[in-house]
Amino acid sequence: MSEMHPSLDLDESAPAIQVRDLHKSYGDNEVLTGIDFHVDKGQVVCVIGPSGSGKSTLLRCVNRLEEPTSGQILVEGIDITDPDTELDQVRTRIGMVFQQFNLFPHMTVLRNLTIAQQRAKGRGRKEAEQIARENLLKVGLADKEAAYPAHLSGGQQQRVAIARALSMNPDMMLFDEPTSALDPELVGDVLDVMKKLAHEGMTMMVVTHEMGFAREVGDKLVFMDGGVIVEEGDPVEVLTNPQHKRTQTFLSKVL
Amino acid sequence: MTRSARTRLMTLSLYAVFLALVVIFVLLANWEAIKDNFFLTEGFTGNWQDMVFTGAKNTILYTIISFIGGFVLAVILVLMKLAPIAPFRWLATAYIELFRGLPALVVILFMGFGVPIAFGWRPPGGTVGAGLVALMLVAGAYMAETLRAGIEAVPKGQTEAARSLGMNAPWTMASIVMPQALRIVIPPLTNELVILLKDTSLLFVIGLAASQKELTTLARDFMSSGPSAGTATSLTFAALLYLAITLPLTRLVAWMESKQKRSR
Ligand SMILES: Nc1ncnc2c1ncn2[C@@H]1O[C@H](COP(=O)(O)OP(=O)(O)OP(=O)(O)O)[C@@H](O)[C@H]1O
Ligand SMILES: [Mg+2]
């Protein structure tokens, strides 16, 4: 495989994601007020919490779509808050799936999957297309490579978005409410793909309202409220026997 | 009277007023004078080839040249406006404000007469070159604003998706944002093409050589020389030629805009 960059100094024993005392403010509004947590390799960590609690902000700090105000974020042992870190290179190792899919509307499905492979990983077109096709097959959309995103259903678009992220061969995947914009009957297909990924051992951090998914495939459940992690632990444990009042209140509303 | 009857009466009287106006105009107009002044076809036959193959040809050529030049300038200005270094942004903003604030005619006169005298520098191509540079400078300022609006209309999620895949900022701009922005700005840019086409008539003021004359300059010549001298016939012909180009373009813009609206 022809990589454009020299390989990073990966710390094999380090957790996939390690967040230390993370703070994030927008002006006077402190959205994250000291977050400490980690995701181990191969773990599926689900993040739940009320709207505005900072879930998206936390996720977006992990690949530095948002600039943390203070604190440290280590991705496979590499400090991504260090200004000398080659961010673009780290980002190729972190797949991200958005609530609104964010496919490139002016490109075919296949091109959506190859453009970043070629531009950011320096892969040739042939290799990129082969990898793209493998991933389309994986999400069950092998027959859609020539389609444009506008001609796909929401569920198909989100699966293409997942395949696009996977085509970079990331070490971990971040999902920000991947099924929230979907019609209920299309949620299942996307969740199935995510479950398959989890079973293959992909490291995943998933912001979601799908408690069933968290219970079934999550290794850890994190409950956030007001910019802090209120409670975390085994998903079944947290969901059936929440320790904190705020967790109980939240769960009584959504379950 | 019922409501529908009242509406019908109202419509009928509006038609009547319209008809009356047309009749009055037809009766009062001096058709002989109008024909002699605007449509003197006898004798004009000798001029029409010059009008089309020199005048209209040059007008189209000048429009294309200044549009392309203006577009390149606009791309540079927009990239400067998006630059991380503040002085670049200031410079681009100052440029855009300056050239959008000045009449195009003043810029043309500056380039045609002021600059060669003050700086001892003549733009390539002589007089017409100076005029074209002026049109480019003005068009670039307007197109830069159009382009900026187009870039801002591309959802932020597009940039975020590209960056999260590890694409760097220049690649993201070149292969994700710009292509979408360009699609958005095709209708307004076509409008600017129409405006530019009409603005080439301003080159009239800088004295073009015979083979360089554009449509308006040539039409003005034929108002005082040649077989249709003393009438505005050549101007009428020029006007028809302008419309033959601008009307299809404006219809095209309307069509593209309605298509874009539907696809959204
Ligand atoms: N770019 C921004 N500028 C200013 N404030 C922001 C910005 N992005 C987020 N916020 C604020 O940060 C807080 C947390 O937002 P965030 O999107 O992380 O919440 P969330 O937990 O993901 O909520 P939801 O469930 O609605 O997606 C909110 O109060 C929001 O208004
Ligand atoms: Mg969110």
Side-chain angles (χ1 to χ4, degrees), chain A residues 9-194:
Chain A
D9 285 332
L10 295 181
D11 181 353
E12 285 300 328
S13 61
I17 302 167
Q18 171 98 52
V19 175
R20 290 187 190 134
D21 195 27
L22 176 66
H23 290 254
K24 170 68 187 176
S25 308
Y26 294 106
D28 291 339
N29 181 17
E30 190 160 37
V31 173
L32 300 178
T33 57
I35 302 268
D36 283 277
F37 93 112
H38 65 95
V39 179
D40 287 331
K41 286 210 171 73
Q43 241 186 356
V44 176
V45 173
C46 295
V47 182
I48 60 171
S51 180
S53 57
K55 308 179 297 289
S56 297
T57 308
L58 171 62
L59 201 70
R60 292 158 58 85
C61 280
V62 170
N63 69 355
R64 277 252 330 248
L65 283 183
E66 300 291 346
E67 190 103 14
T69 309
S70 70
Q72 219 183 15
I73 301 169
L74 304 176
V75 172
E76 297 178 316
I78 298 158
D79 185 356
I80 62 158
T81 49
D82 180 346
D84 283 336
T85 300
E86 295 286 346
L87 253 192
D88 291 333
Q89 200 180 339
V90 175
R91 281 179 177 147
T92 63
R93 303 181 165 277
I94 312 172
M96 178 133 183
V97 175
F98 302 84
Q99 183 175 347
Q100 298 300 336
F101 330 134
N102 295 345
L103 293 180
F104 307 133
H106 59 305
M107 295 175 173
T108 62
V109 165
L110 189 68
R111 191 75 186 120
N112 263 276
L113 269 60
T114 56
I115 178 89
Q117 292 188 63
Q118 293 180 242
R119 300 283 189 262
K121 282 206 129 180
R123 287 179 183 155
R125 195 173 62 95
K126 280 250 162 60
E127 187 191 3
E129 284 183 353
Q130 189 200 328
I131 293 171
R133 291 197 174 100
E134 283 163 15
N135 284 299
L136 280 178
L137 194 63
K138 187 175 214 164
V139 301
L141 293 171
D143 55 333
K144 297 289 185 197
E145 67 167 66
Y148 280 86
H151 296 134
L152 302 178
S153 73
Q156 291 172 330
Q157 290 192 46
Q158 192 61 298
R159 284 185 283 152
V160 170
I162 293 172
R164 177 176 69 179
L166 290 176
S167 295
M168 302 299 287
N169 299 104
D171 295 339
M172 65 198 75
M173 293 276 286
L174 311 177
F175 295 84
D176 192 358
E177 302 196 28
T179 57
S180 295
L182 299 178
D183 292 336
E185 72 270 21
L186 302 173
V187 169
D189 291 341
V190 172
L191 289 182
D192 285 345
V193 169
M194 292 170 64

Side-chain angles (χ1 to χ4, degrees), chain B residues 16-35 38-39:
Chain B
V17 169
F18 174 74
L19 263 179
L21 286 174
V22 171
V23 168
I24 289 170
F25 177 76
V26 168
L27 290 180
L28 291 187
N30 183 345
W31 287 105
E32 208 49 33
I34 288 177
K35 182 178 177 301
F38 293 109
F39 301 99

Side-chain angles (χ1 to χ4, degrees), chain B residues 36-55:
Chain B
D36 286 349
N37 200 27
F38 293 109
F39 301 99
L40 186 75
T41 44
E42 306 97 63
F44 182 69
T45 43
N47 293 341
W48 75 268
Q49 286 169 331
D50 272 351
M51 294 283 288
V52 172
F53 295 114
T54 305

